[in-house]
Amino acid sequence: MPPIEMPKGLPFSVDTWTPSSNRKKHHFLTHAHKDHSQGISTHASFPIYATSITKALTLNYYPHLNESLFVDIEIGQSIAVDDSLEGFTVTAFDANHCPGAVMFLFEGAFGNILHTGDCRLTPECLQRLPEKYVGKISREPKCRLDYVFLDCTFGTFSSKMPSKHVAIRQVIDCIWNHPDARVVYLTCDLLGQEEILVSVCQTFGSKIFIDKENNPECFQSLSLTVPDIISHDPSSRFHLFDGYPRLSERAEAKLAEARANLQPDPLIIRPSAQWFVYEDVSSEAYKRKTDRFKEARKDQFGIWHVCYSMHSSRDELEWALRLLAPRWVVSTTPECRAMELGYVKRHCSYGNLAPNDPLWKLLDIDLKAPFVNDEEASCSASPFLMSRLEPSGEGFSEKEISTVSSEAKESSVTLFGRARLGLDNSTLIYENIDKPVISYMDEEDVEVQGRCADGDGPEGRQQESKLKEREEIVKNSSIACSRKEVGENIRKLYRSMYVPAPKPLPSLVDLLNNRKRTKRRLLS
Ligand SMILES: [Zn+2]
């Protein structure tokens, strides 16, 4: 899943390479993992700020990219970015993720924004941020971050993961514990796992064999990052082993081959959090045991797993947010996951925002702009919304969409839609629209879902009783889709907006009435 676009009100993009991000004036690349440079070969434009390691690795992956597109920024460095509209300062901080990976801190008239890229946000990592932004448990920071774009990859994984340092120690111990293994296969082919190879190399005084023919990209990356650990000699005890695909099959084949030759079993170690988060088939009770991370664990295929994570666990994210106390948090990837964090549930609500809050400007929302009036509101849909509501496969045909209405007013574009997609007029593509249909919500409605998030309460039950009303509105629309589809699509919409879908979903009538109430309150 590619990272999210920056809100339209910001003059820069981070890790996104699309027509929309290309329209931004400044571009930032946090690190060289390919899911963060997807599209860069077609939508790159000057300047791209990145560390020199990230630049070198990226040019390695995309050799036709011109080096002159890049501007170097190194860890700890601040750059004053000149912008004809409003200048800003950007500073790079170590993201504790992979070589060259940084978090960017943006400070300007738009506010103070931390974009973590991918990160393992440990306390040490936090301490490197400017002191004024890092509070204590009982004290808020002197200066609050307005926005944190946060890597929530393992944001639902609540177990306490070992630090990278401890995990590397476990890899070393596992090798010590298997002195008979003549060959040790290390599945460390991902950018960010070099530290393990370096440590093995230093501890055992032996370089690592990397098959250049079969793994040229990894070979080139390691040649750039840790050239001293590479061996061209296949008789080396340590071999780099591909993590994908079909690791278990290949591991079993290696074991079978050794046994057929009356050799001792080779040792196959996979240092990754993936197995612990997604694949570990242990019982739920075992999963809760803290000692499951104490040492390497062997699976049924003979692979030894060590929990080496380049992303933060849920605990680490919660801890970081407590200290940073940002006003708003958005998950960079996966979408929406920030809303599952306790800090976000407690502290990030649109109800907290005053009409003159600079956050509105950041999101490029003009509260003074006219709202769609009530009659229109009941039947006007934003193109953004429609595109989000479009079911995959069957559902809306092109013809049906062309009859979907909207006057495509700025005000009908949802707040999160803008923030999420950086929409502008050029994306308002549904022309020749003459037949009004549905309107679901705009910025104020987001507050509604916030209150309704605990669907078991009386509000939730009331909404359930109004589901029929919603169904009526949908039925009256020109879109022929079932109640189930609409419900599912609204849920998707909520998720796309980084907010939890209320259970049950509120009725449209409630949403619209609430919007009116909130609007009056905000503008009074
Ligand atoms: Zn990454």
Side-chain angles (χ1 to χ4, degrees):
M1 186 182 290
I4 61 156
E5 300 272 2
M6 288 293 98
K8 192 187 167 196
L10 293 174
F12 56 84
S13 65
V14 184
D15 291 351
T16 52
W17 315 95
T18 61
S20 171
S21 62
N22 207 5
R23 284 192 289 273
K24 304 272 189 179
K25 277 182 152 181
H26 314 277
H27 313 277
F28 293 84
L29 179 59
T30 59
H31 66 292
H33 279 152
K34 280 189 172 168
D35 52 334
H36 291 250
S37 56
Q38 211 176 304
I40 198 169
S41 48
T42 40
H43 298 294
S45 62
F46 178 85
I48 302 170
Y49 293 85
T51 58
S52 50
I53 299 178
T54 297
K55 176 180 75 176
L57 290 162
T58 305
L59 290 171
N60 197 23
Y61 300 144
Y62 308 95
H64 62 279
L65 268 188
N66 196 326
E67 190 178 350
S68 64
L69 290 173
F70 289 84
V71 174
D72 285 354
I73 179 168
E74 302 303 340
I75 288 171
Q77 188 185 352
S78 287
I79 292 181
V81 177
D82 202 16
D83 188 283
S84 53
L85 289 175
E86 48 184 46
F88 60 92
T89 303
V90 59
T91 312
F93 296 93
D94 185 0
N96 188 26
H97 180 64
C98 71
V102 288
M103 307 189 275
F104 288 117
L105 173 65
F106 301 94
E107 295 165 297
F110 46 69
N112 306 313
I113 298 169
L114 179 68
H115 194 295
T116 66
D118 280 354
C119 69
R120 177 89 192 259
L121 211 44
T122 56
E124 301 77 52
C125 215
L126 281 177
Q127 276 166 18
R128 296 189 201 110
L129 293 171
E131 208 186 326
K132 64 179 179 180
Y133 290 120
V134 187
K136 297 202 161 48
I137 285 305
S138 53
R139 199 196 70 206
E140 281 197 354
K142 286 183 199 133
C143 193
R144 282 188 83 180
L145 289 165
D146 294 294
Y147 234 130
V148 172
F149 287 85
L150 188 66
D151 168 19
C152 296
T153 302
F154 292 152
T156 53
F157 189 63
S158 52
S159 301
K160 191 170 161 33
M161 291 175 176
S163 68
K164 283 182 177 180
H165 178 75
V166 168
I168 292 173
R169 189 70 245 166
Q170 292 175 5
V171 172
I172 302 292
D173 288 346
C174 187
I175 298 170
W176 279 125
N177 292 337
H178 296 84
D180 296 334
R182 288 197 189 169
V183 185
V184 177
Y185 293 104
L186 299 160
T187 64
C188 296
D189 56 331
L190 284 178
L191 184 66
Q193 293 177 312
E194 311 69 13
E195 274 183 67
I196 303 163
L197 301 175
V198 170
S199 191
V200 167
C201 190
Q202 286 171 347
T203 308
F204 298 96
S206 171
K207 294 191 178 189
I208 320 285
F209 171 66
I210 295 147
D211 190 341
K212 189 180 174 183
E213 300 300 315
N214 288 328
N215 207 340
E217 198 170 281
C218 181
F219 183 87
Q220 284 195 326
S221 294
L222 292 171
S223 301
L224 282 167
T225 52
V226 285
D228 295 343
I229 60 110
I230 297 175
S231 165
H232 301 278
D233 180 3
S235 70
S236 167
R237 186 184 180 210
F238 300 100
H239 287 222
L240 190 88
F241 204 52
D242 284 343
Y244 298 92
R246 305 187 313 279
L247 174 63
S248 50
E249 272 176 46
R250 287 184 287 113
E252 284 182 313
K254 286 286 180 199
L255 290 163
E257 185 187 324
R259 285 166 195 167
N261 294 325
L262 303 176
Q263 300 283 331
D265 282 356
L267 179 62
I268 302 159
I269 306 178
R270 184 189 182 200
S272 164
Q274 204 77 8
W275 184 74
F276 294 88
V277 177
Y278 300 116
E279 298 163 42
D280 189 355
V281 289
S282 304
S283 67
E284 284 303 313
Y286 187 79
K287 280 186 177 177
R288 283 193 291 275
K289 282 179 74 172
T290 49
D291 63 357
R292 75 188 262 244
F293 301 107
K294 272 198 170 154
E295 57 188 1
R297 280 178 49 209
K298 192 179 180 181
D299 70 14
Q300 71 267 38
F301 307 106
I303 302 165
W304 290 84
H305 295 267
V306 166
C307 187
Y308 179 86
S309 180
M310 294 187 263
H311 300 274
S312 319
S313 66
R314 186 190 189 100
D315 284 4
E316 287 165 343
L317 292 177
E318 294 282 11
W319 176 257
L321 290 176
R322 272 180 86 180
L323 298 192
L324 296 173
R327 302 178 68 225
W328 208 261
V329 184
V330 171
S331 171
T332 55
T333 176
E335 279 188 8
C336 182
R337 190 159 285 173
M339 289 308 298
E340 293 167 40
L341 296 171
Y343 176 88
V344 178
K345 284 180 186 163
R346 285 191 298 275
H347 299 286
C348 301
S349 157
Y350 272 94
N352 299 344
L353 299 181
N356 59 352
D357 196 293
L359 205 59
W360 297 112
K361 185 162 183 269
L362 180 76
L363 297 171
D364 195 37
I365 299 297
D366 182 2
L367 282 184
K368 294 190 186 107
F371 286 90
V372 179
N373 70 36
D374 294 347
E375 291 70 37
E376 261 180 324
S378 64
C379 52
S380 115
S382 81
F384 158 74
L385 191 55
M386 296 319 301
S387 67
R388 309 300 287 182
L389 286 172
E390 185 178 0
S392 55
E394 54 195 37
F396 305 147
S397 69
E398 215 171 291
K399 183 163 171 285
E400 282 166 335
I401 289 173
S402 72
T403 63
V404 165
S405 129
S406 172
E407 293 175 15
K409 286 183 180 173
E410 283 276 308
S411 55
S412 66
V413 178
T414 67
L415 172 68
F416 277 97
R418 286 168 186 264
R420 167 73 179 79
L421 297 172
L423 288 178
D424 64 15
N425 288 337
S426 65
T427 55
L428 304 178
I429 52 173
Y430 300 109
E431 290 171 357
N432 305 320
I433 294 166
D434 52 6
K435 206 167 172 186
V437 185
I438 316 174
S439 172
Y440 288 87
M441 68 199 78
D442 60 16
E443 50 268 41
E444 295 130 341
D445 300 322
V446 173
E447 189 191 338
V448 184
Q449 57 71 32
R451 290 195 295 104
C452 301
D454 304 321
D456 293 337
E459 282 170 311
R461 284 193 292 275
Q462 202 178 13
Q463 280 136 21
E464 191 171 25
S465 73
K466 301 235 176 181
L467 274 173
K468 208 168 184 313
E469 287 180 49
R470 185 189 69 188
E471 194 180 4
E472 283 302 314
I473 293 175
V474 172
K475 242 194 257 170
N476 292 335
S477 77
S478 65
I479 298 172
C481 57
S482 70
R483 168 181 166 174
K484 194 177 157 209
E485 277 172 320
V486 170
E488 186 50 39
N489 285 315
I490 291 176
R491 267 182 209 97
K492 278 186 199 160
L493 176 68
Y494 276 110
R495 294 193 72 79
S496 77
M497 299 191 299
Y498 318 116
V499 294
K503 297 171 192 167
L505 288 160
S507 81
L508 284 171
V509 173
D510 280 355
L511 286 172
L512 293 167
N513 287 339
N514 192 282
R515 188 187 70 167
K516 278 184 254 169
R517 280 195 296 276
T518 316
K519 185 171 78 178
R520 273 186 221 116
R521 185 167 56 76
L522 280 175
L523 297 178
S524 64

